[in-house]
Amino acid sequence: MKKIKKPVFVITALLILGFSALTTVGFRTYYGDYSTTWIKGVGDIRWGIDIRGGVDVTFVPDVADFSSVTSDNVDAAKTVIETRMISKNITDYEVYADYNTGRVIVRFPWQSGDSSFNPEEAVKELGETAMLTFREGMISEEKPNYEDLPIVISGIDVDRAAANYDSQTREYMVSLSLNPSGSDKFAEATGRLAGRDVISIWLDDVYVSSPRVNEQISGGRASITGEFTLDEAKSLANKINGGALPYKLKIDSFSTITPTLGMGARDAMALAGVIAFALIAVFMTSLYRLPGVIAVFGLLGQAFGSLAVISGFFGFNESFTLTIPGIAGIVLSLGMGIDANVITGERIKEELRMGKSLDGALVSGYKRAFTAIFDGNITVLMIAFILMGAFGTPDSWASMALSPVFFMFGPSTAGTIYSFGYTLIVGVILNFVFGVFASRIMIYSISKFKAFRKPHLYGGYKDGEEKPKEEKKPFDAVKNKAPFIITPAVIVLAAFVVLMASGLEVAIEFKGGSILTYAYEGEIDAAKVKSAVEETGKGSVKVTTGSSFGSGAENITIAFTSNEAVTTDTLDELERILAGKFDNLDTSPLTSQKQNVSPAMGKTFFLKCLVAVVFSFIVLVLYIALRFKKIGGWSAGACAIIALLHDVLLVFAAVIFFRLSVDANFMAVVLTVLGYSINSTIVIYDRIRENRALLGNRASYRELVNKSVSQSFTRSLNTTITTVFTLGSICAVAVIAGINSIISFAFPMTVGMIAGFFSSLFISAPLWVVWQEYRRKNAKSKSRAEVAGRG
């Protein structure tokens, strides 16, 4: 602390403010009508389909005999396309398969006029087969076609591809790591061809290069050269890692999608964020005084740091598609940032009120707070890492590390979950940078100024302020645990009764259904079309409009859920109803499409989610058992899992009661609540561990937990209030703006945050006492039985 001087506060504050401003506007230079972007700003963030609109493309198999296309082939094509999407940092996509026709319908975000991303090039790449082959020799008069050349290895022999720079040739290349079978085949072929032939490299039917074989190459390494640029090398590596399509796809239709929410929804979210930040700033400053002011600077840096990484501000990373689940990851990480400052503020206040000097209280406060902050953030990082490993691209570092856990699913991705994990990891890392490191050096620095040496500015007593004569008796959380267990149990039971009676609203990406596309002239009211479809008794309905890339003709797409494939007669009847109500709708076969689609996220997705959650629980229990072994780590871990299940069930109950749709946003809500709840429980356990070390056996389990709960109550309440400020602001602005999809995301998350507050204080900790008392009673019974047996 002595090494940190007065100017550090001013310098750090100015750096945070300058960084936030630069992240907002970016940096561009202009020459006439041309502009060059040197640093990307918030305006360069790629938003999801609902906000920016996007592209709708339908692929069909480009094969001579369609009967050869199986449902497994269609699923394989769908999986490869999803993987290619995420490799381009497109995480807000929809991919549907129609097994009857072999069609694959793909939707991803893009706005007309956006020059930073070429949708036509992206669509072309999505449909490429991308079959990589290394072949003996080159085409000649004897072998005029590349198919005539014997294959040495193909894409299935490649374990991983990566773009690299060759310092000797000063060119970019693609380095390949081969699997065991590929390594053996490549070593055999290069040994046989050494000094007398070449190996030509092909991607589909496109020639890439033909390096001469000078010697045998073993060790499972190979490379592809071809005068690539960095982007070309990355693109080729991504195609190889994504795998080859089972057949070539051709474009059947290609059109734009208008946003269902529009940029107004983005502006509404931004307004809600500003309101929430202002409320949090006032709350933190009034509650924690000077540490609260420092916390505001830390949160500002963390928030804009997250936006900087997403926008591609730093140059080494590309822009990332920001989706509602991605926003959920930012909200949770900011909640963790608030929590870090609340824990520290409470600790400093305690140290001062125990009679320590200001310098001693600051050092001790940060030191004692860090263990809870570290454990809470590390557990959330573990969850985020598992999610990215489960639902990221096969070549990502997280997926490769966790391949032994998820190997049975093969390549399968989910952009929305990956987006959540990505923004959460970024936010938590930034929390350590701004919420812990920057905040600490700023408060150490400002405390050197004479005007800020007064203890009451940090939560201590004012001069002459009367101290409490005796400590308040703690609330008996263990004795009064019944209402906190019975009440949620009744709520969940009632929710399941409602579920049995009225069913569950499930989005088309989870349930499957039908997608209808029609051309139209003039104007059409999408809301009225939606109402007309809903009146026929169809499930969850989604309507979007757009225009064809080729002809510019306007079209409207109607998607709705169904429990089973809708018959042609039913679709024809719906078509007649729509044609009767909207005379500018063209329902002729030449301009329309009708198809039943499978769930974009079906049974495999749910099963993978289940494995990810169970694996997360196992990792959390192991971590808690290791870190909290002094208070019976295994039992603490088990009680934490019970609290997590309580929170998830209450979120699900809210979805049932308010008839909200279960979609990808719901999965993000569940994951956010899990992260928030485990962090709150960790803080309680940290207090129990600390009090056990201080009090030893002088305090019973009940006294230990009641004291710890009372000490942690203010921290948990204040963290929950600040987080609810954010979500409440989002809900309020969404209600005013009429943005239902945002309400369906923010409201259940608010329920989950409140549930996590109660479960960490009044379920996990009291249950831990019950467990410990049962173990002690059981041990005493065994001891008495052994004594009686010896007698």
Side-chain angles (χ1 to χ4, degrees):
M1 181 174 176
K2 293 180 180 179
K3 296 181 180 179
I4 299 174
K5 306 301 181 183
K6 291 180 181 179
V8 170
F9 168 77
V10 177
I11 293 171
T12 306
L14 289 175
L15 285 173
I16 290 174
L17 292 173
F19 170 67
S20 302
L22 189 58
T23 299
T24 302
V25 301
F27 180 69
R28 294 175 176 81
T29 55
Y30 295 89
Y31 183 77
D33 295 333
Y34 296 95
S35 66
T36 302
T37 300
W38 299 98
I39 299 176
K40 293 182 179 180
V42 171
D44 295 299
I45 291 176
R46 283 157 47 184
W47 296 88
I49 297 174
D50 285 351
I51 293 174
R52 287 292 297 267
V55 171
D56 185 314
V57 57
T58 300
F59 291 108
V60 294
D62 188 8
V63 295
D65 181 14
F66 178 74
S67 62
S68 63
V69 178
T70 66
S71 59
D72 288 340
N73 293 148
V74 177
D75 281 335
K78 177 173 171 287
T79 299
V80 170
I81 288 174
E82 289 171 336
T83 302
R84 291 179 182 178
M85 286 285 198
I86 291 185
S87 71
K88 292 180 174 295
N89 280 342
I90 302 173
T91 56
D92 182 28
Y93 58 78
E94 299 171 16
V95 183
Y96 302 98
D98 181 354
Y99 296 122
N100 295 323
T101 63
R103 288 191 176 102
V104 178
I105 303 99
V106 182
R107 293 178 164 193
F108 59 87
W110 178 74
Q111 186 181 36
S112 178
D114 182 359
S115 59
S116 65
F117 179 73
N118 187 338
E120 295 181 74
E121 184 64 29
V123 168
K124 179 183 176 183
E125 290 185 18
L126 290 177
E128 289 178 350
T129 312
M131 174 59 76
L132 174 74
T133 54
F134 283 54
R135 297 174 181 267
E136 293 185 20
M138 272 293 294
I139 55 175
S140 59
E141 292 183 0
E142 295 179 357
K143 298 178 180 179
N145 299 314
Y146 84 102
E147 294 98 332
D148 298 328
L149 304 174
I151 295 177
V152 176
I153 58 172
S154 65
I156 61 174
D157 298 308
V158 177
D159 188 42
R160 185 171 184 268
N164 286 316
Y165 181 74
D166 189 333
S167 57
Q168 293 182 345
T169 62
R170 296 184 179 182
E171 291 181 349
Y172 288 101
M173 64 177 184
V174 177
S175 300
L176 304 179
S177 298
L178 306 179
N179 58 33
S181 65
S183 179
D184 293 341
K185 287 187 284 187
F186 196 64
E188 186 278 328
T190 53
R192 180 164 40 82
L193 300 173
R196 62 187 186 87
D197 209 341
V198 300
I199 290 181
S200 57
I201 304 171
W202 302 78
L203 189 69
D204 294 337
D205 57 353
V206 177
Y207 167 74
V208 177
S209 63
S210 53
R212 185 167 188 81
V213 182
N214 296 318
E215 59 184 359
Q216 184 179 33
I217 301 173
S218 58
R221 299 287 178 178
S223 62
I224 304 174
T225 58
E227 298 183 353
F228 300 124
T229 64
L230 175 59
D231 289 339
E232 289 170 342
K234 283 183 177 180
S235 176
L236 178 55
N238 288 337
K239 289 176 185 176
I240 296 169
N241 289 326
L245 288 167
Y247 41 76
K248 189 174 181 180
L249 294 172
K250 64 180 180 181
I251 299 171
D252 186 51
S253 64
F254 186 19
S255 61
T256 62
I257 310 170
T258 56
T260 55
L261 299 180
M263 298 303 281
R266 183 203 64 178
D267 297 339
M269 292 282 281
L271 175 62
V274 171
I275 294 171
F277 192 86
L279 290 173
I280 290 170
V282 172
F283 182 80
M284 292 292 290
T285 303
S286 62
L287 202 62
Y288 296 106
R289 300 165 192 172
L290 200 52
V293 175
I294 301 297
V296 172
F297 278 100
L299 289 173
L300 189 69
Q302 184 181 345
F304 279 95
S306 295
L307 295 177
V309 173
I310 293 167
S311 68
F313 174 93
F314 296 104
F316 59 79
N317 65 306
E318 297 179 2
S319 299
F320 200 81
T321 305
L322 186 57
T323 63
I324 287 182
I327 294 171
I330 295 175
V331 169
L332 175 55
S333 62
L334 288 177
M336 303 288 289
I338 294 168
D339 190 53
N341 286 283
V342 168
I343 292 172
T344 304
E346 288 291 328
R347 287 291 193 171
I348 293 172
K349 185 190 295 185
E350 285 179 18
E351 298 294 317
L352 287 169
R353 296 191 175 190
M354 287 170 58
K356 285 193 176 182
S357 66
L358 177 59
D359 291 343
L362 291 176
V363 172
S364 180
Y366 270 98
K367 183 178 179 181
R368 295 177 67 188
F370 183 74
T371 55
I373 295 170
F374 178 82
D375 286 328
N377 280 267
I378 288 298
T379 51
V380 172
L381 272 177
M382 288 176 179
I383 293 174
F385 181 81
I386 291 170
L387 295 176
M388 291 189 70
F391 299 104
T393 55
D395 64 310
S396 68
W397 48 276
S399 293
M400 289 189 291
L402 295 177
S403 57
V405 179
F406 301 104
F407 71 92
M408 73 287 287
F409 296 101
S412 59
T413 59
T416 52
I417 308 301
Y418 181 82
S419 174
F420 172 83
Y422 179 85
T423 55
L424 183 55
I425 282 182
V426 167
V428 171
I429 292 172
L430 289 172
N431 182 27
F432 279 110
V433 175
F434 291 100
V436 178
F437 175 73
S439 295
R440 180 171 60 84
I441 63 172
M442 288 177 76
I443 203 166
Y444 283 178
S445 173
I446 202 171
S447 68
K448 301 292 179 67
F449 291 88
K450 186 176 180 180
F452 300 113
R453 294 289 299 171
K454 299 172 183 177
H456 74 269
L457 293 176
Y458 302 84
Y461 295 115
K462 289 184 179 180
D463 293 337
E465 184 178 350
E466 187 176 348
K467 301 177 184 179
K469 294 181 180 180
E470 58 182 30
E471 187 178 346
K472 292 182 181 179
K473 185 178 180 181
F475 174 76
D476 197 336
V478 178
K479 181 180 178 181
N480 297 287
K481 64 182 177 295
F484 298 104
I485 296 174
I486 295 172
T487 302
V490 171
I491 293 173
V492 171
L493 182 61
F496 275 92
V497 171
V498 173
L499 176 64
M500 297 297 292
S502 57
L504 184 67
E505 291 287 331
V506 181
I508 190 171
E509 59 258 42
F510 287 151
K511 194 174 184 179
S514 300
I515 298 179
L516 316 177
T517 303
Y518 301 108
Y520 70 91
E521 294 181 353
E523 299 292 331
I524 196 165
D525 191 329
K528 289 183 178 179
V529 173
K530 180 181 178 181
S531 297
V533 177
E534 288 175 336
E535 288 172 3
T536 64
K538 298 296 183 289
S540 178
V541 181
K542 183 178 180 180
V543 177
T544 56
T545 58
S547 58
S548 171
F549 261 88
S551 64
E554 301 296 325
N555 56 56
I556 186 167
T557 299
I558 305 163
F560 56 86
T561 60
S562 57
N563 292 319
E564 55 188 22
V566 181
T567 64
T568 303
D569 291 341
T570 302
L571 293 178
D572 289 343
E573 177 61 26
L574 175 60
E575 189 175 274
R576 283 192 292 271
I577 293 172
L578 292 174
K581 291 186 176 183
F582 304 96
D583 54 12
N584 59 338
L585 202 65
D586 185 358
T587 59
S588 64
L590 292 176
T591 59
S592 63
Q593 286 184 354
K594 293 177 287 187
Q595 48 214 352
N596 289 313
V597 296
S598 64
M601 299 176 178
K603 293 179 181 178
T604 302
F605 171 80
F606 279 107
L607 185 58
K608 199 170 190 179
C609 279
L610 180 61
V611 172
V613 170
V614 170
F615 182 64
S616 298
F617 283 174
I618 293 171
V619 171
L620 291 176
V621 169
L622 289 173
Y623 183 83
I624 292 172
L626 177 66
R627 290 287 291 166
F628 297 92
K629 58 185 177 182
K630 292 183 179 180
I631 61 169
W634 291 107
S635 57
C639 293
I641 299 304
I642 293 172
L644 293 180
L645 293 173
H646 159 276
D647 302 337
V648 171
L649 287 173
L650 283 182
V651 170
F652 189 56
V655 168
I656 293 171
F657 283 133
F658 291 92
R659 306 299 297 164
L660 303 176
S661 180
V662 175
D663 54 13
N665 293 343
F666 170 76
M667 300 306 300
V669 170
V670 169
L671 296 169
T672 305
V673 171
L674 289 179
Y676 176 85
S677 181
I678 194 64
N679 176 62
S680 297
T681 302
I682 289 287
V683 172
I684 302 295
Y685 287 164
D686 182 71
R687 278 288 191 173
I688 295 173
R689 177 176 57 187
E690 182 180 320
N691 287 328
R692 172 56 78 198
L694 290 172
L695 301 174
N697 294 324
R698 288 176 292 161
S700 66
Y701 290 122
R702 288 174 179 259
E703 292 170 337
L704 188 66
V705 165
N706 288 335
K707 182 179 180 66
S708 301
V709 167
S710 295
Q711 290 174 326
S712 303
F713 182 84
T714 302
R715 166 263 156 200
S716 297
L717 179 63
N718 291 341
T719 300
T720 303
I721 288 173
T722 52
T723 308
V724 170
F725 275 162
T726 303
L727 296 171
S729 300
I730 292 173
C731 283
V733 172
V735 168
I736 294 171
I739 308 171
N740 293 327
S741 62
I742 293 179
I743 298 171
S744 66
F745 151 75
F747 175 72
M749 188 180 290
T750 304
V751 172
M753 296 296 178
I754 296 172
F757 164 72
F758 283 103
S759 68
S760 60
L761 291 170
F762 305 116
I763 292 182
S764 60
L767 285 180
W768 177 82
V769 172
V770 173
W771 189 312
Q772 297 302 322
E773 289 182 343
Y774 171 78
R775 287 180 60 191
R776 173 172 287 185
K777 183 178 178 181
N778 196 38
K780 286 181 178 180
S781 298
K782 287 182 178 180
S783 178
R784 284 196 296 267
E786 289 175 0
V787 171
R790 287 195 297 268

